[in-house]
Amino acid sequence: MPQGTDTDTDIPMADSLLRRFFLPKPNRFFLLRLSAVALATVLFFTQVLIPLRIEGYSMEPTYRNGTFNLCWRWRYLLSEPRHGDVVVIRFAGRRVMLLKRVVALAGDSVAFREGVLLINGQPVTEPYVRMRSNWNLEPRTVAAGKVYVVGDNRGVPIERHHFGQVDQERIMGGVLW
C-alpha cells in the first residue's frame, strides 16, 4: 500500500482527515460538541453581539435601510455613552430596537433652531447630517440618568421623527461599525 493513505479507503490521509472533520460520525462525543457549540452560539448572539436589521430611514446616510449590523452589548459595561455615540435603544421588548445618535447628556441643554442642533446654547458641527429641515425646538434640559437621542436623517419634518430623552437603562449597547 502506498505511503500517506488511509488503510481502509486508499484515500490520501489529508482527504480522510478533512472528511472526518466536516462529516464526523454522529456518536455521543459529536452530539456533545454540537450541543456545546450551539449553546455558545446562542449565548454569544443574544448576550454579547445582537444581530440587527436596520429598518427605516432615520439614521441615513450613516446607516442605510435594509442593511445589517451588530449591537455590541458590552460597549457601556464600564463606561457611559458620550456625545456622538450611536446607540441601540430598547423600544418595545427586545424585538423592537431603535438606532439613534446621542446628542446630549444629563444636565445638557438641547434645542434645535432652523435645523441646527444647539447644545448648551452652542451650535454643534454634525458632519453626518446631510439634509436639514426647519426643525425648531425650545431648549430643554436633559434629566439625570437620561441621554437625548436623535436620528441623523434630519431631512424629514420633526413630527415624523422618534427622538428625545431616553433612560440610560434602555440602551442595549452600541453598534459594532
Side-chain angles (χ1 to χ4, degrees):
M1 176 154 77
Q3 246 183 353
T5 61
D6 189 63
T7 56
D8 295 331
T9 60
D10 273 353
I11 298 173
M13 258 193 225
D15 288 346
S16 179
L17 289 174
L18 284 174
R19 181 178 295 164
R20 279 186 275 158
F21 180 79
F22 288 110
L23 300 169
K25 293 181 182 176
N27 57 25
R28 285 175 50 189
F29 182 67
F30 168 75
L31 294 175
L32 182 63
R33 270 192 336 219
L34 183 64
S35 299
V37 167
L39 179 64
T41 302
V42 167
L43 288 174
F44 186 76
F45 285 109
T46 59
Q47 301 303 316
V48 180
L49 285 178
I50 299 174
L52 301 172
R53 182 168 190 271
I54 298 170
E55 294 182 14
Y57 301 94
S58 75
M59 284 300 289
E60 286 203 1
T62 310
Y63 297 97
R64 301 216 178 268
N65 180 42
T67 59
F68 290 90
N69 209 317
L70 295 167
C71 171
W72 176 247
R73 290 282 316 266
W74 295 354
R75 169 111 186 243
Y76 300 111
L77 189 63
L78 299 174
S79 66
E80 300 289 322
R82 299 182 314 236
H83 291 96
D85 285 355
V86 177
V87 296
V88 178
I89 300 164
R90 193 171 24 91
F91 188 64
R94 287 185 63 154
R95 293 276 216 180
V96 179
M97 295 185 271
L98 300 176
L99 196 62
K100 298 292 178 187
R101 187 173 303 273
V102 175
V103 295
L105 305 173
D108 286 344
S109 168
V110 62
F112 284 96
R113 188 175 312 130
E114 297 299 318
V116 176
L117 173 66
L118 303 170
I119 301 296
N120 298 323
Q122 299 299 313
V124 176
T125 303
E126 298 179 291
Y128 41 82
V129 176
R130 299 277 193 262
M131 296 173 20
R132 297 180 194 276
S133 286
N134 273 354
W135 285 25
N136 287 302
L137 186 70
E138 293 299 316
R140 54 203 60 209
T141 302
V142 181
K146 298 185 183 246
V147 295
Y148 202 90
V149 297
V150 66
D152 290 353
N153 184 0
R154 314 269 174 80
V156 297
I158 196 168
E159 298 80 21
R160 294 186 47 203
H161 246 276
H162 286 41
F163 68 97
Q165 294 189 51
V166 175
D167 289 322
Q168 281 188 287
E169 291 92 38
R170 296 188 75 81
I171 295 176
M172 297 286 291
V175 290
L176 198 55
W177 59 82

